[in-house]
Amino acid sequence: MDGMSAALDEPLAKSVGGRTAKVFADHLGLRTVGDLLHHYPRRYAERGELTRLSDLPLDEHVTVVARVAKATKKTYGPGKARLEVVVTDGSGSLTLVFFGRGVFKPEHDLLPGRRGMFAGKVSVFHRTVQLMHPEYQLLDAEDGKEAVDAFASRLIPIYPAVKQVNSWTIAKTVDTVLTSLGATQWAGTGEPLPAALRESRGLAPLPEALEKIHRPRSKADIMVAKERLKWDEAFVLQVALARRRAADDALPAVPRVPAEDGLLKAFDARLPFTLTEGQQKVSAEIFADLATDHPMHRLLQGEVGSGKTMVALRAMLGVVDAGGQAAMLAPTEVLAQQHHRSITEMMGDLAEGGMLGGSDLGTKVVLLTGSMGAAARRQALLDLVTGEAGIVVGTHALIEDKVQFHDLGLVVVDEQHRFGVEQRDALRSKAKQPPHLLVMTATPIPRTVAMTVFGDLETSVLDQLPAGRSPIATHVVPAKDKPHFLARAWERVREEVENGHQGYVVCPRIGDEEPDAKKKSAEDEAERRPPLAVLETAEQLAKGPLAGLRVEVLHGRMQPEAKDDVMRRFAAGEVDVLVATTVIEVGVNVPNATAMVIMDADRFGVSQLHQLRGRVGRGSAAGLCLLVSEMPEATSARARLDAVAGTLDGFELSRIDLEQRREGDVLGQAQSGTRSSLRMLTVIDDEDVIAAAREEATALVAADPELAGQPDLRSALESLVDADREQYLDKG
């Protein structure tokens, strides 16, 4: 490996010294020259133009370029001073706050009219957006001359940064590295894209793209660089997925064709309603897959309440008809118990095979969870190994060594994102041949994300809601600006209860966490208050606005029996208002619940809010969802809530969610300026690149499965699919 590959694999310490290299490794995860050069600017500020201060993200570390409008200093005692500097960019203003002895230098530097770069964490205090003790670098003063020279180009790169390493330090380091690389021979090798592909698509060579992304002379340079770097990411990722699909297709499986007059037919004959068109179409796709001799790998996505469970149950019954067994994996005990309950209810006496009064065609449906009693557990395990039980519903307890199947033919996984690859492999190993796999998710996934994240699964979508589901009205309640709106929200909950319905109140945390021992300093006073907690909120509501109603709590730290008891009583109508954490996010089905109030709604993600909202309006009465937030109107948090209130279309919301969260999260890692496998590709906007890369990758893998002719692509794959990425890509 010579030339460029070798240059990119050099440890950073060689170019920038051990001390700097350690900070970069510890805080940004950047260890080699290649890591650093692939840490691209988040955006570019132009000399004459300033960042949009009006859309700063809360709680994130940002770098802004702005002009000082005014500075005020308040002194309250010896050594106690507070300097507030307001900077502006025309779109909005931002307050910089300095305390104590830290005010001397900024007081001297930050005079009205001066321009600079400011880096810090965005917080809100007294409804003002601010940066506490930001680092800064002046851009136009005498002492800022060096800074202006360092960014000789007209476009200033602004990098994803962290508290310990600011954007301009990253820029200087990149500059040093690029300058030293200029002297070495680094062209020609280390190109993950096959030459023919590069030429046919008119893409720039990699050294040119890296130079242009970090030192653009014009916006056109940035475009050229981005196009090439996007292709690298899309292509390497799609090759990894194409190889996985090819490997999966090569596995053998037992075809499972339902019997003519078996369990499935008997079940269908008893259904009190007809399946929607979507359910029929998706079922046909699934049964076609089950009939082949290699394992089905299918993703079934559908809105909350679109009838996914019914489709999955019919597939399971079909497999039982064909002499096999089916297992359904749920992420939590509450969910496993609910699935078990709803499946046995839907099947009636068909779920009592071999029991007195059961149907001759029936089978046994067993539940297996970690907290079951020893006797019940022993019986369930026995029913599985003898084949007496055709269907088992359980949590990851199903995966334990002790669990043996008679003939496992189908695995249904609910809410895939909570299951890793080891669990799936462990389940696979319980079948004589790999079982068929159906993954269900209630989070709508736009097509390109499905191609990227679940690229090894075929996708089926249920997009109609079954008849009889009611619309949900959603409103934002600005508690800070309009406190009377919040009072009205509680009145609405009371009205629903008076009309014979029930409601949920959702809070971000439980409230019995360990208190933080650290004493709050003056600097900390600017941090946001802690999120509202279930235990305190329930107590306040029961004494105050909801006094006289039956208010109970539900959260993840309760004992499984206690949780199940509360849920059972809520479902039976013995509880009016359930104050809960997001444990109710998936699978809780109480058709009589019509109202939901989500406290501190800005602390939840878009798709999470959509999931939560799906818990109301499940019956014939209309649902109401109120999103309570103290965020000021112009913040991105409020924009997010308005988006949720504005549409019930989950696919539309998941697009908005992705655009806001960016792609790092899509591929599993929360982004905080650290590395993600996708740095340049945006799965929403680059649909065409992803689709084209998928075609090219599939063709290449078909022609050269071992990639023998592509050594550089092979090494790019190895670095992409490191241990944790392998796990993530192995979704199917």
Side-chain angles (χ1 to χ4, degrees):
M1 195 166 58
D2 58 334
M4 182 170 152
S5 300
L8 293 183
D9 285 339
E10 288 259 299
L12 261 183
K14 274 192 160 176
S15 319
V16 300
R19 198 132 147 237
T20 308
K22 184 171 176 359
V23 178
F24 273 67
D26 291 352
H27 300 291
L28 289 166
L30 309 176
R31 293 178 172 77
T32 64
V33 167
D35 289 347
L36 177 70
L37 294 182
H38 288 304
H39 186 77
Y40 308 127
R42 179 170 277 173
R43 55 185 181 76
Y44 302 86
E46 290 186 62
R47 282 256 166 271
E49 168 223 56
L50 304 161
T51 350
R52 306 241 347 129
L53 291 184
S54 55
D55 21 330
L56 286 178
L58 264 185
D59 286 343
E60 268 192 38
H61 204 85
V62 299
T63 303
V64 299
V65 176
R67 187 181 302 284
V68 177
K70 62 173 188 180
T72 24
K73 181 179 166 189
K74 299 178 179 124
T75 314
Y76 43 98
K80 289 186 176 175
R82 177 187 174 99
L83 177 69
E84 288 187 10
V85 178
V86 177
V87 297
T88 177
D89 68 344
S91 79
S93 62
L94 176 67
T95 305
L96 316 176
V97 181
F98 301 90
F99 284 101
R101 305 200 183 287
V103 305
F104 300 133
K105 188 170 176 354
E107 186 184 9
H108 165 73
D109 290 341
L110 303 179
L111 305 173
R114 285 201 165 171
R115 287 179 73 241
M117 301 209 283
F118 305 94
K121 187 173 162 190
V122 184
S123 59
V124 170
F125 183 58
H126 287 327
R127 289 205 260 162
T128 308
V129 182
Q130 62 175 29
L131 299 183
M132 306 277 304
H133 278 288
E135 292 190 63
Y136 61 87
Q137 180 142 17
L138 295 173
L139 286 178
D140 50 2
E142 275 314 297
D143 49 349
K145 175 147 177 39
E146 178 196 345
V148 178
D149 293 345
F151 306 105
S153 64
R154 206 167 49 83
L155 295 159
I156 302 171
I158 306 281
Y159 289 89
V162 289
K163 187 178 174 191
Q164 296 81 357
V165 190
N166 58 40
S167 175
W168 51 90
T169 305
I170 299 171
K172 281 179 180 163
T173 313
V174 168
D175 213 55
T176 307
V177 166
L178 281 175
T179 305
S180 68
L181 275 179
T184 62
Q185 175 55 40
W186 70 310
T189 51
E191 285 276 9
L193 295 187
L197 169 63
R198 261 197 344 265
E199 280 152 30
S200 68
R201 300 268 170 189
L203 299 167
L206 193 53
E208 180 190 327
L210 289 171
E211 175 77 30
K212 285 182 170 169
I213 199 77
H214 293 292
R215 297 170 164 174
R217 298 261 165 240
S218 65
K219 288 188 174 167
D221 277 0
I222 300 172
M223 297 297 291
V224 166
K226 279 189 169 176
E227 194 182 358
R228 161 63 211 248
L229 297 168
K230 278 177 179 179
W231 256 95
D232 277 14
E233 286 174 17
F235 185 70
V236 173
L237 186 57
Q238 292 300 339
V239 167
L241 292 165
R243 293 185 76 189
R244 168 109 346 101
R245 284 196 300 276
D248 282 343
D249 287 347
L251 293 169
V254 179
R256 308 281 178 175
V257 181
E260 282 297 309
D261 288 323
L263 186 55
L264 179 61
K265 192 154 187 196
F267 176 76
D268 282 350
R270 297 167 184 220
L271 281 181
F273 50 82
T274 49
L275 298 176
T276 64
E277 220 174 294
Q279 285 175 315
Q280 290 173 5
K281 180 175 122 306
V282 169
S283 289
E285 291 169 349
I286 290 172
F287 283 115
D289 281 0
L290 288 172
T292 62
D293 56 7
H294 59 84
M296 162 169 84
H297 286 101
R298 192 166 279 282
L299 174 70
L300 171 57
Q301 52 179 74
E303 287 283 5
V304 172
S306 58
K308 292 184 300 296
T309 313
M310 173 60 72
V311 170
L313 175 56
R314 291 185 70 250
M316 289 159 74
L317 294 173
V319 169
V320 174
D321 260 354
Q325 289 170 294
M328 182 184 250
L329 268 170
T332 64
E333 296 214 347
V334 169
L335 256 176
Q337 284 157 344
Q338 284 190 343
H339 277 313
H340 181 255
R341 197 178 302 135
S342 65
I343 285 174
T344 46
E345 278 168 13
M346 284 196 258
M347 286 175 66
D349 62 352
L350 293 174
E352 296 164 359
M355 297 185 217
L356 208 58
S359 160
D360 297 344
L361 290 167
T363 184
K364 232 178 180 184
V365 179
V366 297
L367 176 69
L368 191 63
T369 62
S371 66
M372 277 168 77
R377 187 179 171 79
R378 249 197 319 277
Q379 185 58 51
L381 291 172
L382 187 65
D383 288 340
L384 285 179
V385 77
T386 59
E388 188 85 0
I391 294 178
V392 57
V393 182
T395 54
H396 48 261
L398 270 178
I399 296 165
E400 290 168 13
D401 296 342
K402 298 187 204 61
V403 183
Q404 292 305 322
F405 289 85
H406 177 64
D407 177 15
L408 179 60
L410 168 67
V411 176
V412 178
V413 178
D414 188 17
E415 290 299 324
Q416 164 71 10
H417 56 268
R418 310 190 189 197
F419 279 101
V421 56
E422 301 96 336
Q423 284 116 318
R424 201 210 50 216
D425 283 346
L427 251 180
R428 247 190 193 169
S429 66
K430 295 188 180 296
K432 298 180 187 67
Q433 290 194 332
H436 297 282
L437 177 80
L438 181 65
V439 172
M440 299 198 298
T441 173
T443 313
I445 303 168
R447 178 174 154 259
T448 40
V449 183
M451 275 173 19
T452 311
V453 180
F454 296 98
D456 49 348
L457 295 175
E458 297 298 324
T459 307
S460 297
V461 180
L462 279 174
D463 47 13
Q464 304 160 282
L465 284 189
R469 289 298 297 271
S470 305
I472 306 167
T474 310
H475 304 286
V476 179
V477 177
K480 205 62 171 266
D481 309 345
K482 301 180 176 161
H484 58 286
F485 275 34
L486 183 58
R488 176 74 189 115
W490 301 124
E491 279 171 29
R492 284 291 290 114
V493 173
R494 289 194 87 97
E495 286 164 19
E496 289 298 311
V497 173
E498 278 156 21
N499 290 333
H501 297 300
Q502 293 157 280
Y504 299 96
V505 177
V506 182
C507 301
R509 68 190 183 103
I510 298 173
D512 58 0
E513 297 89 345
E514 288 301 300
D516 199 358
K518 294 201 299 283
K519 205 168 101 322
K520 281 207 170 261
S521 63
E523 279 88 339
D524 286 342
E525 69 170 309
E527 289 296 326
R528 303 160 70 189
R529 64 157 174 73
L532 290 170
V534 166
L535 301 174
E536 295 152 29
T537 305
E539 196 179 328
Q540 287 163 6
L541 289 175
K543 285 181 182 160
L546 301 185
L549 302 188
R550 296 167 298 177
V551 177
E552 299 243 357
V553 301
L554 178 71
H555 58 73
R557 274 205 224 113
M558 286 162 63
Q559 289 303 315
E561 310 79 76
K563 267 192 259 188
D564 210 40
D565 177 55
V566 172
M567 270 320 301
R568 195 185 47 67
R569 287 186 296 111
F570 186 63
E574 295 163 22
V575 174
D576 297 320
V577 177
L578 192 59
V579 183
T581 55
T582 53
V583 289
I584 63 157
E585 181 183 352
V586 275
V588 173
N589 186 14
V590 179
N592 190 44
T594 52
M596 175 176 286
V597 180
I598 303 179
M599 308 304 290
D600 281 341
D602 47 274
R603 296 178 190 255
F604 299 97
V606 169
S607 44
Q608 204 174 23
L609 290 169
H610 182 59
Q611 285 287 89
L612 286 165
R613 165 171 70 182
R615 301 293 122 219
V616 294
R618 299 176 77 85
S620 50
L624 171 70
C625 177
L626 302 173
L627 307 173
V628 179
S629 169
E630 295 188 353
M631 285 292 110
E633 210 162 328
T635 54
S636 59
R638 268 292 283 283
R640 218 170 50 229
L641 298 182
D642 291 336
V644 175
T647 176
L648 288 171
D649 178 345
F651 283 89
E652 180 51 34
L653 284 175
S654 62
R655 284 187 81 94
I656 294 168
D657 193 16
L658 285 169
E659 281 163 2
Q660 290 214 334
R661 283 190 315 168
R662 298 282 307 186
E663 305 13 82
D665 295 359
V666 178
L667 291 190
Q669 299 167 325
Q671 282 299 111
S672 50
T674 49
R675 294 175 62 195
S676 129
S677 56
L678 290 192
R679 303 182 182 91
M680 186 56 75
L681 198 66
T682 56
V683 281
I684 289 292
D685 303 336
D686 298 322
E687 187 161 337
D688 49 346
V689 176
I690 292 170
R694 183 176 170 120
E695 266 171 52
E696 296 268 11
T698 308
L700 177 75
V701 170
D704 178 7
E706 292 307 307
L707 306 179
Q710 305 290 340
D712 289 326
L713 174 57
R714 274 210 317 273
S715 58
L717 268 177
E718 280 156 23
S719 59
L720 169 79
V721 188
D722 55 24
D724 56 346
R725 296 280 307 120
E726 171 89 56
Q727 214 177 59
Y728 202 80
L729 280 176
D730 220 346
K731 286 299 242 194

